[in-house]
Amino acid sequence: MTRKLWGGRFKKATDPLVERYTSSITVDACLARYDVQGSIAHATMLGRCRIISRADSRKLVRGLTRILRSIQQGRFAPNPRAEDIHTQIQQTLERRIGPVAKKLHTARSRNDQVALDLRLYCRDAAAYLTDDLRGAQRALVHLASRYARAVMPGYTHLQHAQPVLLAHHLLAYVEMFERDIERLRDAHIRIDVLPLGSGALAGTSLPIDRAFVAKLLKFPRVSRNSMDAVSDRDFALELCSALAIVGMHLSRLAEDFILWNSVEFGILELDDAFATGSSLMPQKKNPDVLELIRGQAGLVIGHLTALLTMMKGLPLSYNRDLQWDKRCVCESIEMTHDALIVLARLVQRSTIRTSQLTALLHDDALCATDLAEYLVERGVPFAQAHTIVGQVVVAAERQGIPLKQLGLAQLKRFSTAFDRRALAVLDPRASVARKRSVGSTNPTMVAQALVNWQKKLKRG
Amino acid sequence: MTRKLWGGRFKKATDPLVERYTSSITVDACLARYDVQGSIAHATMLGRCRIISRADSRKLVRGLTRILRSIQQGRFAPNPRAEDIHTQIQQTLERRIGPVAKKLHTARSRNDQVALDLRLYCRDAAAYLTDDLRGAQRALVHLASRYARAVMPGYTHLQHAQPVLLAHHLLAYVEMFERDIERLRDAHIRIDVLPLGSGALAGTSLPIDRAFVAKLLKFPRVSRNSMDAVSDRDFALELCSALAIVGMHLSRLAEDFILWNSVEFGILELDDAFATGSSLMPQKKNPDVLELIRGQAGLVIGHLTALLTMMKGLPLSYNRDLQWDKRCVCESIEMTHDALIVLARLVQRSTIRTSQLTALLHDDALCATDLAEYLVERGVPFAQAHTIVGQVVVAAERQGIPLKQLGLAQLKRFSTAFDRRALAVLDPRASVARKRSVGSTNPTMVAQALVNWQKKLKRG
Amino acid sequence: MTRKLWGGRFKKATDPLVERYTSSITVDACLARYDVQGSIAHATMLGRCRIISRADSRKLVRGLTRILRSIQQGRFAPNPRAEDIHTQIQQTLERRIGPVAKKLHTARSRNDQVALDLRLYCRDAAAYLTDDLRGAQRALVHLASRYARAVMPGYTHLQHAQPVLLAHHLLAYVEMFERDIERLRDAHIRIDVLPLGSGALAGTSLPIDRAFVAKLLKFPRVSRNSMDAVSDRDFALELCSALAIVGMHLSRLAEDFILWNSVEFGILELDDAFATGSSLMPQKKNPDVLELIRGQAGLVIGHLTALLTMMKGLPLSYNRDLQWDKRCVCESIEMTHDALIVLARLVQRSTIRTSQLTALLHDDALCATDLAEYLVERGVPFAQAHTIVGQVVVAAERQGIPLKQLGLAQLKRFSTAFDRRALAVLDPRASVARKRSVGSTNPTMVAQALVNWQKKLKRG
Amino acid sequence: MTRKLWGGRFKKATDPLVERYTSSITVDACLARYDVQGSIAHATMLGRCRIISRADSRKLVRGLTRILRSIQQGRFAPNPRAEDIHTQIQQTLERRIGPVAKKLHTARSRNDQVALDLRLYCRDAAAYLTDDLRGAQRALVHLASRYARAVMPGYTHLQHAQPVLLAHHLLAYVEMFERDIERLRDAHIRIDVLPLGSGALAGTSLPIDRAFVAKLLKFPRVSRNSMDAVSDRDFALELCSALAIVGMHLSRLAEDFILWNSVEFGILELDDAFATGSSLMPQKKNPDVLELIRGQAGLVIGHLTALLTMMKGLPLSYNRDLQWDKRCVCESIEMTHDALIVLARLVQRSTIRTSQLTALLHDDALCATDLAEYLVERGVPFAQAHTIVGQVVVAAERQGIPLKQLGLAQLKRFSTAFDRRALAVLDPRASVARKRSVGSTNPTMVAQALVNWQKKLKRG
């Protein structure tokens, strides 16, 4: 039996099976450094408020600082037999500085302690995930800039819709990641609240100074209700939810790239260093990285569902069900971090096959909408123009040729409004250039967007 | 076969089964008023930009305004045979103002139109759900104020932990709802972006004025990338996620009240108007409303999962899978709205059985922590004090009496540090009063919190 | 205020808001016919066991039979102001046959009644969904038979892997649907248990004959524990779970067909009657039906999550949270039913562009594995053969030609083991023919599989 | 860079980041023993079919058998730098038996290999989880037998409904676990199909004998379609779904026990060895184990959602997204296994406070239904009896006394049908005894059920 922070009330030792089952060490090891940071602030405050002596406070801080260094240097391995990471750190401290270590537990409960640790972790993650998203944006802008003038078929329903700039397509993802960053920023504000000092649920009668601890740990706000503070995991849910949306965005980008990388689309070539082979089929060069990113979205969505389900219907205040929160939160954070970093590099090193883009644009039905608008300009009502061009498309399809090859004579059979300039309309590059609405695929506007993003994403 | 906005390209009529399966009218009827509002702004802009004549623009606006009035007066029933609500509105307009109605479709696609409608709907919902949450806060503050001095057992792990004020417990929920309101406000900012003018995916070549439309519809921002704009549902996901958290909060409050309303807890009595009976058991007075609220959280969580799953792995840009988004979004909004309103009234009208609170407080083991802290003040290290009091608790339990009845003599057997004042510590009301940390259950602080909330929640 | 089946204990009328919120009529209308069937059996038993008089029993049965007929003829509309469908049916009965109707409520509670109704509904659904799945299998076998000899690229990671028969690819889905049918059959066995007679939770003291009711309603088993019987929804969860897997299969088939229907793959052409157009782009012929089927999987998965979440952590026995079960179950059933029927017809009427299959097979890297196996037959260890062929593929890729065009001379530079017959190996049709393992794409085996399925699926 | 099973086609080494990201070793280590078992069968077959020499086959089998032993003895640690567990095993084999090890890879791809491994793992798990469920049933039957005659309030809506036997309540969970066992048995049938021999997707041209491998590995069936076989994870989904329902059952049982263990209910006492304390509050004895079990249901539900979401919309055949399946499946299996074992012991060692049951039964409104039925026997129609008793209940409530204490005189004021025997009806034990329907809480029937279960659950 390992040592515990409680026991006087118990007549029997805990069943070893229970010890193993309730141990959270594999789950909460990710909190180690944050636990120590929180304890340093707490110990400092206890001394300053004379709840313990200044000397004891200094001893605690010194001991904790050494542990923090071990953790940062990767020399602090979680002990699989410890009850949890907090207990392990406490015991390490006791071994190092003796019984004074026990004073750290003054005016603090594990309920507010673990709430603090998880907030510190989430706050940190929100920051580095933002960097990761910026990295992914940079890679996309970089790829878009390399092929700034490339035109490709734009898709709706995975069908050729209208010509667009490849850069426009890629910048759509830059916009998504920008919203993800905004969501992380908003989540950060609600993460950034100090729960420590809430005790087990009711607060404490000791003269602690929560504002001082908040200042030490750089929290702009202090929680206002102790029962809420120890049982609140909204901040974790909000982060998980933001990451589920990041995951969804990543899965869409992965899907696009997997499609482009197929023989049939043939638009994108992965760098060999970012593809994998088959143990059986010698010709295979598989987009495994992209598939793993796409699939990973499922796991992150599952974790969000799990955390919501776990909390649903729990009475106030703290309940042990919450121990599992870390399994959802930590894995979602780590997986998203990994995926964003590997994705950024993969995007950076990908090649677009512009010749294949040109080949795909031979399907000039992509410009059918332009042809209809051309008729509208010549006075044909839109609905009628739509019908006429629909029939033109079917005619070309039947003959197995592009619209252009129908020639003016055939076009005139469908409407006398067609004249010489009709055929010029059927040029994808011209189609793109004609667009003029804000946010459209117009090349000047897209070029400007690229410049704006490059400026914004320049590293300080 | 109903009329459609497309068709020239098709050699055959749509299969009736397909018409039925692809119809979204039952799903998107909730968008009717927003669709018309968007169309009025679009038509106004078309006239102002001379894309259509001023006279035509006026005709369109007049016709649409009449339809809007029908909708607002509940006189516009969705036609189950229409393809979708947009088509039904368009056809109604055509019947009323003739062929000019077709001009409304200039420089607009259903992709940007439906994105606009859903945003208008979500924006509206974010506003009224905020009001609903304020209402729930008001009811909780009201109930808390009625029993401002009532002390009750505070629970962790559903075990008696420490005494707290009932008002403190109730205010924990007020804090949760405050965060919900913050999340809705943040979501609102990202909802509040105009997608109209993005066309099907590429923008348009017609000289539209998106900023003007934004001004008419009170959107502070205009979307920056047309491909993103037509396929983005982040705003809906963010709203659904905020509502899933609201649902989780509601389920916890419902759980607490269901427990309190049980014979065993006996703390809370529901107003007869908010309880239901049994068809078989004459004595039953069931908290069905609370159970429905608790269960509803499951549905809202399921809708969030559904929407995320639906979008996962979709290539750009618009795909018809998104049609189902409305089923998730609308139902989540409506259910949350209903639950908040009925909950507020139920809370408002509930009665606390203070005599039962007093009875529950006879379990003075609730003050065991106070007794340990008392020993600490007398120089006993906390860990040792914790063990001593644990043994005291076991002794009382064995004799089946409260701690207080052990008397000083027995206490002294466990530790000589106990003196006369030990017994006075075992008073729940004193325990509460001793708390002094910010956010604690200290009565003065809770009273102040009540005043602050009352001020904040005062109606305009 | 509507009439209720309870009330004596209540001093106040139910709040109208509560009535609206707790009403389940929109949710449980789908149970109408099953409710009446169950009541007919119950009334028959009451008479036979002399709990009520034979005459009263007959009156009840006659009245109920008339209501059943109204329902079957679509003449029984749910009344939005009724508390639930059971109450509405009860009231209708009272209007029709007078006070004797009240006797129907003898020895029955709404708890066991609604459990029965839901089981009858699920049992029925399991049967017709099985038929729907058979229909989808038939359509796939039909399409596969029409193109029984067509060879296509087989994909892993959406990359060309090895040649396969189109029929082999389609039959993979037939296998999936077969497992779905097995799961429905297994779920059916656990659905098929009579809960009626369990009372509210404890059973009844009246001399009912549950075995007789079971016989009337064709239930082979009777529930063994009344508390379990009224709160068990495993059968619904199991059905929802089976439908979530069906939905997943449908989404994969939809994805394949959407890909095949793209310009880039160009393998499949949808019948015009099963495609939809665009209001803006005249050339569009969109696979909306397939996208809706793919997206729908998200909703069904969400409903499964919802139902599990809803039930999680509920104490025994019946709780009102369960009212929402119908929303998950009924919608999942109806959506799956619709999707299977529309899919079957769509598959049946689709056309494969065999010329495009031939074009895609020009990529003879598909046969790289065959080339490696050819080297193995000539004594080269597999790992080495794999490396050699990998280099051959790169060489061909660099020159932008199929492997075949490298010619024997070039091949020999990579390995002297290549001889004249090497080039013959690079033929997709030969590759397929060489396969001989059970379950492989070998044409004779696939033909046999088609025959077996046709026999199995022949309509009675 | 670690060694891989592929590479000839690649001009560059894999990026180290990609190696780390695509590595699945932490996920698939749980498959180690199954991988070796499968390989032994495969190697045996290769020799028997003369695809490799008998001597080589024997060498492979001997080498693999030694590895299997290492694994079984816990001496085979996953190498965090290996690509996956299959590669690590392959490399270990090569180190031990030299280049002949490479021949193991004949006529097999990682796609069918991993499908086999996962099936072997799931098949094993279905077996030991069944044992675990039997253990939980045994513990419940044991507890029920110890208190076979104890009567308690039965709850609906967490309100006192009717008296039931404690054993009846506990046996409801035994029924649930029985259905869980049935579901595992059904899942087992669909797990129990051999996928090996399907190659990467198309089968193989080598003369393998799948039926022989099936016999060696005790699979009664062989998969019929190679494309389906390598991409099918239905069996894993079905297992996860069965475990999600197990988790839901466990969460309900945990909830009941947490409630019973509260001060307010006071029905159940946990053994000290199965409870945990608080680091702050000395009196606390918390049901952490039960809370962890309850919360764990959320994780298992989340994993099911994840796996479904992951597979949704994937084209045929194998895609790397499936790598994550193991994370969902293995964790769900292991968590469920742990929870069932710890729960069984906890239940076994719990104590029921029968005196508290007696105290709770003083609330004789529990027998209100009996009183109504008593009036029915005296000729009062049920609806009227229901109303009368409802009023009686209110009267007692107002006076704060049990119904019994109202006395006959007062009862008669509500209905003249009341006579002397009315008061005798208000006895919970009599109420239970009066029940006579099959599956009811009737003591004789419950005793019989206990006997039946004891017989069924008797070990070996």
Side-chain angles (χ1 to χ4, degrees), chain A residues 35 115 127 162 310 321 345 350 377 428:
Chain A
D35 191 69
Q162 296 185 338
M310 214 174 279
D321 314 56
R345 278 217 228 168
S350 291
E377 284 166 31

Side-chain angles (χ1 to χ4, degrees), chain D residues 64-242:
Chain D
L64 287 162
T65 305
R66 276 175 54 206
I67 296 178
L68 183 58
R69 223 170 301 130
S70 313
I71 294 170
Q72 283 163 342
Q73 294 165 353
R75 291 183 293 105
F76 188 89
N79 172 5
R81 287 156 26 123
E83 191 183 358
D84 56 28
I85 196 72
H86 322 293
T87 310
Q88 184 181 348
I89 288 169
Q90 177 66 29
Q91 288 165 358
T92 308
L93 190 65
E94 290 181 22
R95 268 200 315 279
R96 294 199 180 167
I97 66 167
V100 66
K102 283 183 196 290
K103 298 206 174 165
L104 181 56
H105 213 69
T106 314
R108 192 173 68 166
S109 120
R110 242 184 314 185
N111 294 355
D112 56 348
Q113 182 180 356
V114 77
L116 170 65
D117 295 359
L118 193 58
R119 282 178 183 267
L120 286 168
Y121 175 43
C122 288
R123 186 172 71 175
D124 212 10
Y128 60 71
L129 289 166
T130 297
D131 290 345
D132 298 340
L133 285 160
R134 287 273 173 250
Q137 286 180 318
R138 250 177 235 116
L140 285 160
V141 169
H142 176 83
L143 187 65
S145 305
R146 272 164 59 205
Y147 304 97
R149 296 168 48 88
V151 177
M152 67 179 290
Y155 299 84
T156 58
H157 310 263
L158 205 63
Q159 291 287 319
H160 284 189
Q162 298 185 340
V164 295
L165 288 179
L166 173 77
H168 193 56
H169 190 134
L170 293 173
L171 286 180
Y173 287 104
V174 177
E175 295 285 342
M176 293 180 213
F177 291 149
E178 190 65 22
R179 285 193 296 274
D180 289 328
I181 290 170
E182 286 180 24
R183 268 183 289 273
L184 287 180
R185 195 196 54 208
D186 289 348
H188 174 268
I189 291 169
R190 274 176 293 279
I191 293 169
D192 215 9
V193 176
L194 177 82
L196 201 71
S198 300
L201 79 159
T204 177
S205 54
L206 293 167
I208 61 172
D209 183 345
R210 298 186 66 203
F212 180 69
V213 176
K215 211 175 127 197
L216 288 178
L217 293 169
K218 303 201 169 56
F219 281 105
R221 288 195 287 168
V222 162
S223 65
R224 290 182 299 198
N225 182 300
S226 57
M227 294 185 76
D228 177 43
V230 296
S231 60
D232 168 28
R233 291 296 181 273
D234 285 13
F235 63 96
L237 277 167
E238 202 173 334
L239 184 58
C240 283
S241 157

Side-chain angles (χ1 to χ4, degrees), chain B residues 124-418:
Chain B
D124 211 11
Y128 62 70
L129 288 167
T130 297
D131 290 345
D132 297 339
L133 284 160
R134 287 273 173 252
Q137 286 181 317
R138 248 176 236 117
L140 285 160
V141 168
H142 176 83
L143 186 65
S145 306
R146 271 163 59 204
Y147 303 96
R149 297 167 46 87
V151 177
M152 69 180 288
Y155 299 83
T156 58
H157 310 262
L158 204 63
Q159 291 287 318
H160 284 190
Q162 298 184 337
V164 296
L165 288 178
L166 173 78
H168 193 56
H169 190 134
L170 293 173
L171 286 179
Y173 287 105
V174 177
E175 293 285 343
M176 294 179 213
F177 291 149
E178 190 65 21
R179 285 193 297 276
D180 289 328
I181 290 170
E182 287 181 24
R183 268 183 289 273
L184 287 180
R185 194 197 53 208
D186 290 348
H188 174 267
I189 291 169
R190 275 176 292 280
I191 293 168
D192 214 9
V193 177
L194 178 81
L196 200 71
S198 299
L201 80 159
T204 176
S205 54
L206 293 167
I208 60 172
D209 183 347
R210 298 186 66 203
F212 179 70
V213 176
K215 212 175 128 197
L216 287 178
L217 292 170
K218 303 201 168 56
F219 281 104
R221 288 196 288 169
V222 160
S223 65
R224 290 183 298 198
N225 182 298
S226 56
M227 292 184 78
D228 178 44
V230 295
S231 61
D232 167 30
R233 291 296 181 273
D234 285 13
F235 63 96
L237 276 168
E238 205 174 333
L239 184 58
C240 282
S241 158
L243 297 187
I245 301 179
V246 172
M248 183 271 284
H249 291 158
L250 287 171
S251 76
R252 297 189 74 174
L253 179 48
E255 174 78 5
D256 265 341
F257 273 38
I258 290 168
L259 285 175
W260 295 1
N261 184 50
S262 68
V263 169
E264 285 73 12
F265 281 72
I267 300 176
L268 182 125
E269 181 156 14
L270 293 178
D271 189 282
D272 272 14
F274 286 84
T276 37
S278 154
S279 60
L280 178 66
M281 298 170 283
Q283 91 281 14
K284 289 302 288 294
K285 181 176 158 188
N286 290 326
D288 291 56
V289 168
L290 293 164
E291 294 166 275
L292 286 169
I293 289 173
R294 181 177 61 188
Q296 182 180 302
L299 279 178
V300 181
I301 292 169
H303 283 324
L304 172 60
T305 304
L307 191 49
L308 280 163
T309 301
M310 215 175 277
M311 298 205 63
K312 182 232 148 199
L314 291 186
L316 285 193
S317 59
Y318 181 81
N319 298 282
R320 187 70 179 269
D321 312 57
L322 292 184
Q323 172 174 309
W324 302 115
D325 61 0
K326 284 165 286 295
R327 197 166 288 213
C328 301
V329 176
C330 301
E331 199 171 83
S332 295
I333 288 172
E334 281 162 25
M335 290 184 94
T336 308
H337 176 58
D338 290 348
L340 281 167
I341 285 180
V342 79
L343 178 90
R345 278 216 229 171
L346 178 147
V347 168
Q348 187 92 15
R349 304 251 219 114
S350 291
T351 307
I352 299 295
R353 290 211 194 82
T354 49
S355 60
Q356 172 68 359
L357 290 182
T358 310
L360 288 175
L361 292 171
H362 284 153
D363 170 25
D364 59 4
L366 270 162
C367 299
T369 311
D370 298 274
L371 201 60
E373 288 179 357
Y374 157 95
L375 288 175
V376 169
E377 284 166 29
R378 269 141 201 84
V380 184
F382 181 77
Q384 201 181 322
H386 186 281
T387 304
I388 293 166
V389 177
Q391 291 159 348
V392 170
V393 167
V394 170
E397 224 176 68
R398 262 193 207 129
Q399 301 169 44
I401 53 173
L403 303 187
K404 206 169 256 178
Q405 286 186 26
L406 285 174
L408 188 55
Q410 278 210 58
L411 283 186
K412 275 183 171 299
R413 271 191 243 152
F414 294 97
S415 166
T416 54
F418 284 118

Side-chain angles (χ1 to χ4, degrees), chain D residues 6-47:
Chain D
W6 43 268
R9 182 230 198 296
F10 287 77
K11 286 150 277 179
K12 281 191 203 172
T14 310
D15 190 284
L17 198 63
V18 170
E19 294 209 326
R20 194 168 67 82
Y21 183 66
T22 57
S23 164
S24 60
I25 193 80
T26 57
V27 180
D28 55 21
C30 59
L31 298 183
R33 77 179 56 206
Y34 307 104
D35 191 69
V36 180
Q37 285 169 5
S39 289
I40 290 174
H42 185 63
T44 307
M45 180 276 289
L46 288 177

Side-chain angles (χ1 to χ4, degrees), chain A residues 192-269:
Chain A
D192 214 9
V193 177
L194 178 81
L196 201 72
S198 300
L201 79 159
T204 177
S205 54
L206 293 167
I208 60 171
D209 184 346
R210 297 185 67 203
F212 180 69
V213 176
K215 211 175 127 197
L216 287 178
L217 292 170
K218 302 201 167 58
F219 281 105
R221 287 194 289 169
V222 162
S223 66
R224 292 182 297 197
N225 182 297
S226 56
M227 293 185 75
D228 177 44
V230 296
S231 60
D232 167 29
R233 292 294 182 273
D234 285 13
F235 63 95
L237 277 168
E238 203 174 332
L239 184 57
C240 283
S241 157
L243 296 188
I245 301 179
V246 172
M248 182 270 284
H249 291 157
L250 286 171
S251 76
R252 297 188 74 173
L253 179 48
E255 174 79 5
D256 265 342
F257 272 39
I258 290 168
L259 286 175
W260 295 1
N261 184 49
S262 67
V263 169
E264 286 72 12
F265 281 71
I267 299 177
L268 181 124
E269 180 156 16

Side-chain angles (χ1 to χ4, degrees), chain C residues 9-80:
Chain C
R9 184 231 195 296
F10 288 78
K11 288 150 276 179
K12 281 191 203 170
T14 309
D15 190 285
L17 198 62
V18 171
E19 295 210 323
R20 194 167 65 83
Y21 182 66
T22 58
S23 163
S24 60
I25 193 80
T26 56
V27 181
D28 56 21
C30 60
L31 299 182
R33 76 178 58 205
Y34 306 104
D35 191 68
V36 179
Q37 285 168 5
S39 289
I40 289 174
H42 184 64
T44 307
M45 180 277 289
L46 288 177
R48 184 184 147 100
C49 296
R50 306 293 155 104
I51 298 170
I52 62 174
S53 73
R54 293 251 163 181
D56 284 351
S57 168
R58 274 194 298 271
K59 272 186 218 158
L60 289 170
V61 170
R62 264 200 303 269
L64 287 162
T65 306
R66 275 174 54 206
I67 297 179
L68 183 58
R69 221 169 303 130
S70 311
I71 294 171
Q72 284 163 341
Q73 294 165 352
R75 290 184 291 105
F76 187 88
N79 171 3

